[in-house]
């Protein structure tokens, strides 16, 4: 059974647009690149041809990945109740550290420019999910117990 991906409406819309673009314009562009490279001659020593074919394979993989996510997703509302949940931006401080770090809590597909992600499936993410601002949670990593204070939660 395929994994269900919990994503926000914003991420769903962005992924749908990317899939539409890749399946349409992307395929046309890569086919044109392959045809242009083919005209350059001997395919066995044609770097442009091999690069275009490799790009075509990567694009096909991304199309399959996006299709799988969109077919097996649950669209979630980003909670505004002060509890760590997918789609929230969380500010945390590791025990013994003065630096407050910000992370997006959720799927890698929720990514935002310049912001690292904490996956709910990771040990850190499992400890954080459901916690509230001001709370300290602990988790195991590489045989060590790490503690994190949740400084703030933003929707």
């Amino acid at each position: 059974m395929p994994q269900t991906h919990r994503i926000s409406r914003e991420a769903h819309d962005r992924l749908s647009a990317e899939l539409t673009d890749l399946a349409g314009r992307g395929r046309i562009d890569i086919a044109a690149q392959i045809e242009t490279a083919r005209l350059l001659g001997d395919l066995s020593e044609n770097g442009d041809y091999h690069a275009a074919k490799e790009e075509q394979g990567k694009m096909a993989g991304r199309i399959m990945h996006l299709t799988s996510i969109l077919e097996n997703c649950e669209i979630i509302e980003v909670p505004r109740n002060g509890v760590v949940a997918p789609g929230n931006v969380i500010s945390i401080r590791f025990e013994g550290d003065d630096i407050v770090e910000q992370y997006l809590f959720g799927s890698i597909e929720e990514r935002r420019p310049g912001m690292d992600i904490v996956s709910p499936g990771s040990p850190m993410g499992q400890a954080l999910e459901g916690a509230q601002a001001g709370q300290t949670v602990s988790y195991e990593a590489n045989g060590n117990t790490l503690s994190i204070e949740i400084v703030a939660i933003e929707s």
Side-chain angles (χ1 to χ4, degrees), residues 7-57:
I7 58 175
S8 66
R9 169 60 61 193
E10 177 186 333
H12 182 274
D13 293 347
R14 184 173 32 78
L15 296 176
S16 294
E18 181 183 352
L19 177 60
T20 299
D21 182 57
L22 288 176
R25 182 206 50 83
R27 284 185 172 156
I28 292 168
D29 288 352
I30 200 71
Q33 288 176 16
I34 290 169
E35 185 57 32
T36 300
R38 217 178 246 158
L39 297 173
L40 297 176
D42 184 9
L43 297 182
S44 66
E45 296 181 13
N46 187 331
D48 289 346
Y49 175 79
H50 293 290
K53 290 296 281 183
E54 184 175 327
E55 190 62 33
Q56 182 184 42

Side-chain angles (χ1 to χ4, degrees), residues 6 13 30 37-38 49-50 68-69 74 79 82 96 107 128 133:
R6 296 170 59 204
D13 293 347
I30 200 71
R38 217 178 246 158
Y49 175 79
H50 293 290
S68 175
I69 289 172
E74 172 188 344
S107 161
L128 287 167

Side-chain angles (χ1 to χ4, degrees), residues 39-114:
L39 297 173
L40 297 176
D42 184 9
L43 297 182
S44 66
E45 296 181 13
N46 187 331
D48 289 346
Y49 175 79
H50 293 290
K53 290 296 281 183
E54 184 175 327
E55 190 62 33
Q56 182 184 42
K58 288 179 185 178
M59 187 174 62
R62 181 67 177 161
I63 288 170
M64 287 177 19
H65 180 70
L66 291 173
T67 300
S68 175
I69 289 172
L70 294 170
E71 287 177 352
N72 302 296
C73 73
E74 172 188 344
I75 298 175
I76 59 166
E77 292 299 318
V78 179
R80 301 183 192 305
N81 61 0
V83 174
V84 176
N88 289 140
V89 173
I90 56 174
S91 298
I92 61 171
R93 180 178 20 246
F94 286 90
E95 182 178 41
D97 198 351
D98 293 333
I99 299 170
V100 174
E101 301 175 29
Q102 270 197 331
Y103 293 92
L104 176 65
F105 187 81
S107 161
I108 189 70
E109 297 300 342
E110 293 284 344
R111 70 181 163 264
R112 295 181 190 168

